């Protein structure tokens, strides 16, 4: 997003909600002082400190956020799929990021967002796809990277929460009543193969993301929903063929950000 924390044309928001805030770094502060990390996380500035007059709430299912105090920011343990506890027409901005695989009824979720935004308020959502794609055809149907993404999609279908929200979120957002849809698409490389300096740096960080996360992503899904054995030496998370360091693949993982107005 070119070092932008959000796309919405915000001027003087009074209340903002970050759904699925995780450790709270979007809502709270950019503790990654390195310019390199700010490139990959798009956390060039802190939302709460950028708008000190705004009340900023970050919600998640787990209380894993930092305890460093910021006067206008607080975190709440909350399930966005349950009944919302906030008043209607309450927020100027609702921010959602990487909630794929977390919500069963997206239409109901977007209606809740619509109802709890003030008229003229903004919803912004950023999502990625579990299916890797290559510009040069280095990922072919049936190879391990292709199959890994498809199996993840099958798991999402099995537990009733699609991982493909990227594909339908624009239509569902518009169906909920939002207008003035702005959609931006980005490439998110895996590995430092790009000749573009910024994409190369993003790729280095994303490679680290993959190396640390792949076992956890696949093991829980594949053992619980596909019947794969944890101890099987041929398990996907143990196979060297799934090593994202492989030089023969150029792996852009596409991301989409959508900003809409009520």
């Amino acid at each position: 997003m070119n070092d932008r924390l959000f796309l919405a044309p915000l001027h003087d928001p009074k209340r903002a909600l970050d759904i699925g805030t995780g450790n709270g770094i979007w809502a709270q502060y950019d503790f990654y002082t390195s310019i390199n990390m700010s490139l990959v996380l798009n956390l060039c500035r802190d939302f709460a400190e950028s708008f000190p007059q705004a009340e900023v709430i970050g919600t998640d299912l787990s209380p894993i956020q930092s305890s460093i105090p910021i006067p206008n920011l607080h975190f709440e343990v909350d399930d966005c799929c349950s009944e919302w506890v906030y008043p209607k027409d309450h927020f100027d901005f609702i921010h959602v990021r990487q909630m794929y695989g977390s919500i069963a009824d997206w239409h109901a979720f977007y209606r809740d967002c619509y109802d709890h935004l003030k008229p003229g308020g903004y919803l912004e959502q950023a999502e990625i796809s579990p299916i890797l794609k290559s510009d040069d055809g280095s990922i072919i149907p049936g190879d391990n990277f292709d199959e890994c993404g498809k199996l993840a999609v099958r798991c999402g279908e099995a537990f009733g929460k699609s991982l493909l929200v990227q594909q339908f979120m624009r239509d569902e957002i518009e169906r909920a009543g939002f207008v003035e849809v702005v959609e931006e698409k980005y490439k998110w490389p895996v590995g430092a193969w790009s000749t573009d300096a910024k994409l190369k740096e993003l790729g280095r960080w994303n490679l680290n993301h993959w190396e640390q996360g792949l076992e956890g992503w696949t093991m829980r899904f594949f053992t619980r929903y596909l019947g794969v054995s944890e101890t099987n030496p041929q398990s996907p998370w143990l196979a060297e063929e799934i090593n994202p360091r492989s030089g023969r693949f150029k792996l852009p993982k596409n991301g989409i950000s959508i900003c809409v107005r009520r």
Side-chain angles (χ1 to χ4, degrees):
M1 290 171 57
N2 297 317
D3 293 335
R4 292 172 295 177
L5 197 60
F6 52 86
L7 303 178
L10 302 178
H11 300 295
D12 186 27
K14 300 303 183 185
R15 298 186 184 93
L17 175 65
D18 184 31
I19 297 175
T21 195
N23 59 16
I25 53 178
W26 181 89
Q28 186 172 16
Y29 64 99
D30 182 8
F31 63 88
Y32 296 101
T33 56
S34 158
I35 184 63
N36 297 332
M37 185 58 85
S38 70
L39 284 172
V40 71
L41 293 179
N42 299 312
L43 296 174
C44 59
R45 62 186 184 276
D46 157 77
F47 188 88
E49 290 184 345
S50 295
F51 299 102
Q53 79 288 353
E55 176 192 9
V56 183
I57 299 173
T59 66
D60 204 281
L61 292 175
S62 301
I64 59 173
Q65 297 76 36
S66 168
S67 59
I68 296 177
I70 293 180
N72 60 321
L73 169 67
H74 66 275
F75 297 110
E76 299 177 355
V77 175
D78 188 44
D79 183 357
C80 65
C81 298
S82 300
E83 183 177 357
W84 286 34
V85 298
Y86 310 107
K88 299 288 182 69
D89 303 332
H90 187 66
F91 294 103
D92 300 288
F93 185 47
I94 295 178
H95 177 261
V96 182
R97 181 172 60 187
Q98 291 192 22
M99 290 289 283
Y100 66 142
S102 300
I103 294 174
D105 188 343
W106 280 99
H107 179 67
F109 172 76
Y110 290 134
R111 283 301 310 178
D112 280 334
C113 291
Y114 185 92
D115 290 342
H116 291 82
L117 277 169
K118 294 178 182 177
Y122 288 91
L123 166 68
E124 185 165 326
Q125 181 174 2
E127 297 291 345
I128 58 177
S129 171
I131 300 177
L132 291 164
K133 298 180 180 180
S134 60
D135 289 337
D136 61 357
S138 56
I139 298 179
I140 60 176
D143 71 30
N144 284 314
F145 279 104
D146 179 63
E147 288 300 312
C148 189
K150 291 177 180 178
L151 289 173
V153 171
R154 279 178 52 193
C155 292
E157 294 171 348
F159 70 81
K161 296 180 179 179
S162 175
L163 277 75
L164 296 178
V165 60
Q166 182 197 64
Q167 296 182 5
F168 59 74
M169 64 192 216
R170 177 172 185 147
D171 289 342
E172 286 294 329
I173 287 171
E174 290 179 328
R175 190 161 75 95
F178 288 99
V179 296
E180 297 181 13
V181 177
V182 175
E183 180 177 347
E184 293 195 9
K185 298 183 179 182
Y186 306 90
K187 289 182 180 179
W188 192 10
V190 183
W193 51 263
S194 177
T195 57
D196 178 88
K198 186 169 185 177
L199 290 178
K200 183 182 290 292
E201 190 67 17
L202 285 169
R204 288 194 184 100
W205 287 106
N206 199 23
L207 175 61
N208 180 264
H209 172 67
W210 267 75
E211 289 180 328
Q212 293 188 34
L214 183 59
E215 179 176 331
W217 304 334
T218 55
M219 183 181 290
R220 180 179 176 85
F221 271 171
F222 293 178
T223 56
R224 178 168 294 188
Y225 298 104
L226 299 182
V228 177
S229 169
E230 293 183 41
T231 58
N232 184 346
Q234 301 302 315
S235 296
W237 54 85
L238 300 176
E240 291 185 359
E241 289 81 359
I242 294 289
N243 180 1
R245 277 193 182 277
S246 174
R248 65 190 181 93
F249 293 119
K250 294 183 177 179
L251 309 171
K253 190 168 188 176
N254 296 328
I256 294 180
S257 288
I258 289 182
C259 176
V260 292
R261 184 178 65 83
R262 176 181 167 181

